[in-house]
Amino acid sequence: MSPVSTGTLDLQHRRCPEPGDDLSDYSVLPVPPMSIRFDQAAGTLSPAGPELTRRMSDLEGLFLDQNAWRTAVADGDPIVYSVVSSLVPEADRELPQSITTIQPGSTGGEFWMTKGHQHPNHQGEIYLGISGRGGLLMFDGTDTRWVDMTPGTIGYIPPGWAHRSVNVGGKPYSFLAVYPGGAGHDYGWVLEYGLGQRVWRQDDGVAFGGYFAEASS
Ligand code: F6R
Ligand code: ZN
């Protein structure tokens, strides 16, 4: 058997990522076996795929207190979270990975969070906590589940459960996501059906309340 090369692979990276691009544009299939390096201090993956930045203005309709959301947009439109991905594309049978970092903060008392989505092609996904303190909120349309996420925790998202991540600490919360490349992402589902619960800052802790207007606890 010939030795396995651990040197730099020709990843056939076609071009630089641009906002709004589809993740499947970044690699030519089939992707070769590769090693992907994660620099925790820099929050980067190498070789790098697309990067996404979500500002407050990208989170329209997601915080319960819309006035507080508008004020936050007008008041500097801060970055709420960013997502860096490896070169593994969102293509059927591939297994893409990404690192999400959510900044600490709250708007109208609601902790900063990701948009949240459902995978239209129902498939499972795992998250691994890397740094900070967060949570994984899951909703299947009826039941809601919450998994506390600290460094080293693996959160499992079963097929058919919409999911959102929340930073409940005072520092950035980062986690690794690994998911089936053919699962797709449906953000409209969450706008329509919600995520079962909202996650509120309460004194030094966390409180949960119902999702829609009657909700705050
Ligand atoms: C992929 C996945 C994560 C999220 C990321 C950003 O299936 O669950 O990589 O995509 O945490 O959250 P959203 O996509 O909800 O903006
Ligand atoms: Zn997902």
Side-chain angles (χ1 to χ4, degrees):
M1 195 171 94
S2 57
V4 175
S5 164
T6 54
T8 306
L9 291 160
D10 174 11
L11 293 168
Q12 300 168 296
H13 193 180
R14 283 182 192 156
R15 61 186 178 76
C16 288
E18 287 165 20
D21 279 352
D22 195 291
L23 191 58
S24 56
D25 291 342
Y26 294 93
S27 303
V28 176
L29 292 167
V31 173
M34 69 175 98
S35 131
I36 300 161
R37 180 155 179 73
F38 171 51
D39 181 333
Q40 188 167 336
T44 54
L45 287 172
S46 175
E51 286 186 35
L52 191 79
T53 300
R54 293 278 185 227
R55 292 185 175 275
M56 189 59 79
S57 53
D58 297 312
L59 304 186
E60 184 167 10
L62 297 176
F63 289 98
L64 185 59
D65 186 339
Q66 284 294 290
N67 287 332
W69 170 78
R70 270 185 219 99
T71 303
V73 171
D75 191 15
D77 194 14
I79 291 174
V80 178
Y81 64 98
S82 56
V83 185
V84 298
S85 303
S86 77
L87 276 178
V88 178
E90 286 185 344
D92 205 25
R93 296 189 293 169
E94 296 287 347
L95 209 49
Q97 323 89 38
S98 62
I99 309 260
T100 301
T101 302
I102 309 174
Q103 298 304 315
S106 58
T107 294
E110 201 172 346
F111 281 116
W112 283 7
M113 60 198 178
T114 58
K115 292 173 77 164
H117 58 264
Q118 175 68 280
H119 293 290
N121 179 6
H122 291 175
Q123 299 191 46
E125 173 166 12
I126 58 163
Y127 285 0
L128 169 66
I130 294 171
S131 60
R133 207 161 63 85
L136 169 55
L137 183 64
M138 292 175 270
F139 181 53
D140 70 352
T142 306
D143 292 330
T144 309
R145 297 290 159 81
W146 172 259
V147 173
D148 281 316
M149 294 289 294
T150 50
T153 303
I154 293 176
Y156 177 59
I157 303 160
W161 288 73
H163 42 285
R164 163 178 287 165
S165 297
V166 185
N167 185 346
V168 298
K171 296 181 176 159
Y173 161 55
S174 294
F175 64 92
L176 167 75
V178 184
Y179 56 100
H185 291 82
D186 181 352
Y187 292 92
W189 194 97
V190 167
L191 287 171
E192 189 167 355
Y193 302 109
L195 264 157
Q197 296 270 290
R198 289 188 183 272
V199 189
W200 302 97
R201 183 193 291 281
Q202 191 176 68
D203 303 324
D204 280 342
V206 179
F208 297 91
Y211 198 82
F212 292 104
E214 67 280 7
S216 69
S217 63

